Amino acid sequence: MARGRLRIYLGSAPGVGKTYAMLSEAHRRVERGTDCVVAFVEHHDRPRTEVMLHGLEQVVRQQLDYRGTRFTEMDVAAVVARRPAVAMVDELPHTNVPGARNHKRWQDVEELLAAGIDVVSTVNIQHLESLGDVVESITGVRQQETVPDEFVRRADQIELVDMSPQALRRRMAHGNIYKPDKVDAALSNYFRPGNLTALRELALLWLADRVDEHLQEYRSEHRVSKIWGSRERIVVGLTGGPEGRTLIRRAARLAEKGAGGEVLAVYIARSDGLTAASPKELAVQRTLAEDLGGTFHHVVGDDVPSALLDFSRGVNATQIVLGVSRRKSWQSAFGPGVGATVARESGPDLDVHLVTHDEVGTGRGLVTASGKGLGRDRKVWGWAAGIAGPALLTFLLSGLAPHLGLANDMLLFLSVTVAAALLGGLLPALASAAFGSLLLNWYFTPPVHELTIADPENILALAIFLGVAASVASVVDLAARRTHQAARLRAESEILSFLAGSVLRGETSLEALLERVRETFAMESVALLEREGDTEPWTCAGSVGPRAVVARPEDADVDMPVGDHMALALSGRVLPAEDRRVLAAFAAQAVVVVDRERLKSEADQARSLAEGNRMRTALLAAVSHDLRTPLAGIKASVSSLRADDVEWSPQDRAELLEAIEEGADRLDHLVGNLLDMSRLQTGTVTPLIRETDLDEVVPMALVGVPDPELSVDLDIPETLPMVVADAGLLERSVANVVENAVKYTPPGVPVLVAASAHGDRVELRVVDRGPGVPDEAKDRIFAPFQRYGDAPRGAGVGLGLAVARGFAEAMGGTLTAEDTPGGGLTMVLTLRTPAQPQTTPT
């Protein structure tokens, strides 16, 4: 039986329309004649979603009793017995009630797929298991309902259901997602614009990574070696020299020219000798690359041009940026250089940019070793020199200098042996010594053309020649091995230096660190496994690479335990013992990164809770007195009016009614400010911007001011230009500022409200003659629940200026405080004027 196909609608946040999209797909399939049923859909009392269920066959749910309550779950057996072509299953991460067929709904879906039924399901990005810590750090909420990433990645098709944060918040405010009594709490907590933007980016990045994985799988399956320029990936080849900064900046500019461009800076450490790379300079270049939005990679390679090209093709790069060689002109005699070699071997699908810089021709500092250790090419040349060299030397000596003398002939043959040792090591040198001694005996030792030796001194000379040749070969071979070991230690020290730098800066994420491990040791996949106890199953804390994550460290090709409950598991090849030392350092750093991320998450959560507690404490302190005061006055007046034992005169009754009205107005003002601040903090203030006349708005804002004719002097010129603002928000903002000024101005001294034009803006100044505010407190008075100095209790909850500034900024203006000359405080409200149309001369 063929396995069913899985299609998933991935949502960036709750309420973006995943279920609606899934049901729309169901209707389209039914119209095409496909046998489609709804196995489980939860509409959450959303009318538009509920309507979409009409006309679709729904499988009866299974009813389960748990702790005295009846629940309904998807009836897997009924769906399998019905055997539709396609089943719609909502809420993939859902945990079933105990007693159900499976523990998780994604396991129910797995069973349907195994039965040959196609499934269409939904999941939000925050429910992916690997993103739990990231989502918690963003939203402050730990998701209990999760689904393994591997299950979602195995889906045959994933479609992103996306919506801008502003549109989603509008949908929330209109009551299309939650009930009205939950809207304000949701908008001020989980559905804040920053949270939604971060979740949206997380969903896009996760899906983009999956697209890259599918592209790599397709290229691998079809053996596509040609680079596909699906997006610009620019590899910057670094040598550790000072020109690297210029190259990184040039690559960043190239990436900016194309949408979605990516910069990958790579340093390839040669394993054939010590290099002139500066760890400090490489650290600076790494920071620069990351600051410009790129990534830094460290690769060890025997052949730098080949390693650079292999890395570029491996990441599907489209361009390589290299610096013009720093070698002096005479050094070109030793080879064409890395840049020329890469340009020659890059092929037509990979562009190579050679960038000039200030270090051109200044030299490379320390000269790197010219060989490749004991690599294959070097050994071939060594054997060629060891065998062909003595033969060629014999031909030349026999034809050109047959009477040079045996001692001189031995010295020349010894030089050939040394050359063979330098190129190929011990064995080619020994072969050269043995072959050379035979040629010396046959051609140059009397009697010639015979293997016998007449003079005993010649026997001793040949023996000494053979011994010296073998000794020189051994010393040269040992020196080559020591050079190789030094190069390895240098590469290890560079890797550890980068690792130590990331520890000090605290900037390496777990995924970046695991990717560094995978690149350094040429592995296919790397995972960090952890468990809570010795008998608990292993879980994956993080992984990179195309291969599936192993269930246990023992199943990997290489495992590195870290403590009792963590292990680093590598898949791809078996590492030599000498590599485990560096791997242990990486493993220890991985644990540090995990602990640091968890501590940071806990600290952010604690900080958020502390801020929330501070706001609640301030609100409670303000509300406990300032809202009760007008209520107490209203209640006292009403109780007095209702008293049967007192006969109130018309004047007394009017005074009591006036007190009730004043208390109600005051209470309405306080509640209005609280609601306005709630709207500002949740970001639901949507101003209706249009051209507005201050001469019309400001007088209306003075209605709530006691005796405005006596307490306020108004100076709004008729020639003042219009401003771009929301009339309602502007009125509330001005009213709060003026009421605050009147409150602090001495009796009998009016508050001046004056407006003037300054270029493309208009300033409205509210000038009082009160006690004023020190410079260090001018910004603090705009914070919520702040009342400066000896403000009387009951004069407000300290929200008036905070609401005024919030409304001003929502309209694109500003509200600042200045000192009044002669004493007092001046509030300056700045608003934009309409843009003047361009006039074309005729």
Side-chain angles (χ1 to χ4, degrees):
M1 180 185 299
R3 178 180 172 85
R5 296 175 61 82
L6 175 62
R7 178 173 182 172
I8 293 178
Y9 284 96
L10 176 67
S12 57
V16 294
K18 304 178 303 301
T19 305
Y20 191 92
M22 180 183 70
L23 294 177
S24 299
E25 175 68 17
H27 281 285
R28 286 193 294 270
R29 298 199 181 202
V30 169
E31 291 173 359
R32 293 197 298 264
T34 305
D35 183 14
C36 181
V37 301
V38 176
F40 188 95
V41 166
E42 188 63 63
H43 55 74
H44 297 290
D45 295 328
R46 298 170 185 169
R48 296 185 179 181
T49 305
E50 187 175 2
V51 169
M52 293 298 294
L53 288 170
H54 296 170
L56 297 176
E57 178 184 348
Q58 301 185 48
V59 178
V60 179
R61 300 183 184 182
Q62 180 185 12
Q63 296 188 356
L64 298 170
D65 292 325
Y66 180 67
R67 293 183 178 179
T69 305
R70 174 155 293 188
F71 298 89
T72 60
E73 298 288 358
M74 181 174 65
D75 194 338
V76 180
V79 178
V80 173
R82 170 65 175 74
R83 297 199 63 79
V86 183
M88 302 290 159
V89 182
D90 201 10
E91 298 182 354
L92 189 62
H94 172 73
T95 301
N96 294 327
V97 174
R101 189 182 185 107
N102 296 299
H103 176 60
K104 301 286 288 186
R105 183 163 294 161
W106 66 266
Q107 296 172 329
D108 295 338
V109 171
E110 179 68 29
E111 194 169 338
L112 296 181
L113 295 173
I117 300 173
D118 292 347
V119 176
V120 181
S121 189
T122 63
V123 64
N124 280 327
I125 189 66
Q126 70 265 25
H127 293 293
L128 295 183
E129 197 169 77
S130 68
L131 301 178
D133 293 337
V134 179
V135 172
E136 184 179 7
S137 66
I138 294 172
T139 64
V141 178
R142 183 69 181 187
Q143 299 294 332
Q144 303 300 325
E145 305 277 7
T146 60
V147 59
D149 290 51
E150 182 60 28
F151 181 82
V152 179
R153 289 182 183 276
R154 290 204 311 267
D156 299 279
Q157 186 176 355
I158 299 179
E159 182 172 335
L160 179 65
V161 183
D162 187 25
M163 180 177 290
S164 69
Q166 295 78 10
L168 183 57
R169 286 172 60 82
R170 284 195 298 269
R171 177 180 288 185
M172 171 70 72
H174 293 161
N176 294 332
I177 301 177
Y178 292 158
K179 294 182 179 180
D181 59 337
K182 297 181 179 179
V183 169
D184 288 340
L187 289 174
S188 60
N189 291 283
Y190 193 90
F191 284 82
R192 293 196 298 268
N195 290 359
L196 297 178
T197 301
L199 290 174
R200 188 186 192 194
E201 182 180 14
L202 202 61
L204 292 171
L205 292 175
W206 189 90
L207 195 61
D209 288 341
R210 186 178 184 275
V211 172
D212 279 344
E213 289 177 7
H214 277 209
L215 180 61
Q216 295 297 338
E217 290 175 3
Y218 181 87
R219 286 166 53 86
S220 177
E221 291 174 0
H222 294 77
R223 298 181 179 178
V224 178
S225 58
K226 184 178 180 180
I227 292 176
W228 288 355
S230 54
R231 63 172 172 171
E232 290 294 337
R233 284 189 177 90
I234 303 175
V235 171
V236 185
L238 302 177
T239 64
E243 77 280 359
R245 306 182 200 183
T246 302
L247 303 182
I248 294 172
R249 293 189 182 97
R250 179 63 61 85
R253 290 197 296 271
L254 291 174
E256 289 175 355
K257 296 179 180 179
E262 183 180 358
V263 176
L264 300 91
V266 57
Y267 170 66
I268 300 177
R270 302 185 62 154
S271 62
D272 59 351
L274 300 177
T275 69
S278 167
K280 181 179 180 180
E281 181 63 28
L282 286 176
V284 172
Q285 293 173 14
R286 175 190 177 188
T287 302
L288 176 61
E290 294 174 350
D291 289 344
L292 294 176
T295 56
F296 188 92
H297 305 265
H298 188 278
V299 178
V300 177
D302 289 335
D303 186 359
V304 174
S306 298
L308 182 59
L309 290 171
D310 290 343
F311 176 84
S312 302
R313 294 190 175 102
V315 299
N316 199 29
T318 57
Q319 302 179 55
I320 297 179
V321 175
L322 298 172
V324 176
S325 178
R326 286 188 287 128
R327 299 190 304 172
K328 295 184 181 296
S329 56
W330 60 267
Q331 291 178 312
S332 301
F334 296 98
V338 174
T341 304
V342 170
R344 185 181 65 249
E345 299 179 1
S346 61
D349 52 356
L350 189 57
D351 297 334
V352 178
H353 302 268
L354 293 179
V355 179
T356 58
H357 49 84
D358 295 336
E359 305 296 323
V360 174
T362 59
R364 294 180 53 88
L366 295 177
V367 181
T368 60
S370 59
K372 295 185 179 179
L374 299 178
R376 183 179 62 85
D377 293 341
R378 182 168 171 177
K379 289 182 178 180
V380 169
W381 283 103
W383 281 104
I387 301 302
L392 179 61
L393 182 59
T394 300
F395 174 76
L396 293 175
L397 290 177
S398 299
L400 300 178
H403 305 293
L404 193 60
L406 182 59
N408 294 326
D409 294 338
M410 287 184 177
L411 289 176
L412 292 174
F413 274 90
L414 182 60
S415 64
V416 174
T417 301
V418 171
L422 288 172
L423 290 174
L426 182 61
L427 293 180
L430 293 177
S432 176
F435 187 40
S437 64
L438 290 176
L439 293 177
L440 283 170
N441 187 3
W442 183 267
Y443 287 101
F444 303 105
T445 305
V448 296
H449 304 302
E450 293 183 13
L451 293 178
T452 59
I453 302 175
D455 189 349
E457 293 182 359
N458 292 336
I459 298 177
L460 180 60
L462 286 174
I464 293 174
F465 165 79
L466 189 59
V468 170
S471 300
V472 170
S474 300
V475 171
V476 172
D477 179 70
L478 181 61
R481 293 183 183 277
R482 290 289 184 265
T483 301
H484 183 72
Q485 292 174 0
R488 182 179 186 83
L489 292 175
R490 173 60 182 268
E492 289 182 4
S493 67
E494 290 174 347
I495 293 172
L496 293 175
S497 173
F498 282 119
L499 194 59
S502 66
V503 173
L504 295 175
R505 292 187 299 270
E507 42 184 39
T508 302
S509 65
L510 180 59
E511 288 74 17
L513 183 64
L514 296 181
E515 182 64 28
R516 180 66 55 80
V517 175
R518 190 175 74 88
E519 292 176 356
T520 300
F521 297 103
M523 290 292 178
E524 295 183 10
S525 297
V526 179
L528 181 64
L529 305 179
E530 63 175 347
R531 59 181 178 182
E532 297 180 357
D534 295 336
T535 59
E536 297 294 328
W538 290 93
T539 59
C540 180
S543 64
V544 295
R547 287 184 57 173
V549 178
V550 296
R552 302 177 305 165
E554 298 81 7
D555 299 334
D557 295 323
V558 180
D559 69 288
M560 174 60 67
V562 190
D564 297 330
H565 302 132
M566 277 194 174
L568 199 61
L570 292 77
S571 302
R573 65 186 181 94
V574 178
L575 284 180
E578 56 266 28
D579 285 342
R580 296 184 67 87
R581 178 175 55 186
V582 178
L583 181 60
F586 274 109
Q589 173 61 6
V591 175
V592 172
V593 170
V594 171
D595 292 340
R596 184 171 60 240
E597 289 180 351
R598 290 176 179 172
L599 290 174
K600 183 178 181 298
S601 175
E602 293 175 1
D604 292 341
Q605 184 177 6
R607 191 179 301 109
S608 177
L609 291 174
E611 179 65 18
N613 288 334
R614 189 191 68 81
M615 293 293 292
R616 283 191 290 271
T617 302
L619 177 61
L620 182 61
V623 169
S624 63
H625 184 278
D626 296 298
L627 290 184
R628 289 177 60 188
T629 300
L631 286 174
I634 293 173
K635 179 175 176 55
S637 299
V638 172
S639 299
S640 300
L641 289 174
R642 294 187 61 188
D644 297 329
D645 56 341
V646 179
E647 186 67 24
W648 300 102
S649 65
Q651 182 179 357
D652 293 335
R653 185 180 296 274
E655 289 179 358
L656 290 173
L657 290 175
E658 184 180 359
I660 293 174
E661 185 178 9
E662 289 178 357
D665 291 340
R666 187 171 162 190
L667 187 62
D668 178 71
H669 181 73
L670 293 174
V671 173
N673 276 338
L674 287 172
L675 293 177
D676 289 339
M677 180 53 60
S678 175
R679 292 169 60 201
L680 287 171
Q681 289 186 340
T682 56
T684 55
V685 176
T686 305
L688 180 60
I689 302 297
R690 59 185 179 183
E691 295 185 7
T692 305
D693 193 347
L694 280 179
D695 194 24
E696 297 178 359
V697 175
V698 174
M700 297 176 61
L702 304 181
V703 173
V705 178
D707 299 324
E709 294 82 7
L710 299 177
S711 59
V712 177
D713 282 344
L714 196 59
D715 183 14
I716 308 294
E718 295 181 357
T719 58
L720 197 70
M722 306 279 280
V723 295
V724 178
D726 182 307
L729 298 183
L730 178 58
E731 179 184 339
R732 289 299 305 273
S733 182
V734 173
N736 283 355
V737 172
V738 174
E739 289 174 8
N740 184 79
V742 171
K743 185 190 310 178
Y744 288 94
T745 296
V749 180
V751 171
L752 175 62
V753 179
S756 58
H758 301 273
D760 60 348
R761 70 187 191 278
V762 169
E763 289 185 354
L764 181 68
R765 292 178 171 266
V766 180
V767 184
D768 67 55
R769 294 296 179 177
V773 176
D775 292 338
E776 62 272 13
K778 282 187 171 60
D779 283 333
R780 193 165 63 246
I781 61 176
F782 292 102
F785 307 109
Q786 295 291 325
R787 288 181 295 190
Y788 179 74
D790 56 351
R793 299 293 297 179
V797 294
L799 289 176
L801 293 182
V803 170
R805 171 175 274 189
F807 283 170
E809 292 176 349
M811 296 182 293
T814 60
L815 179 61
T816 58
E818 298 178 358
D819 291 328
T820 300
L825 189 69
T826 299
M827 292 290 179
V828 182
L829 175 62
T830 304
L831 299 170
R832 294 178 291 110
T833 59
Q836 298 296 326
Q838 298 288 339
T839 58
T840 303
T842 57

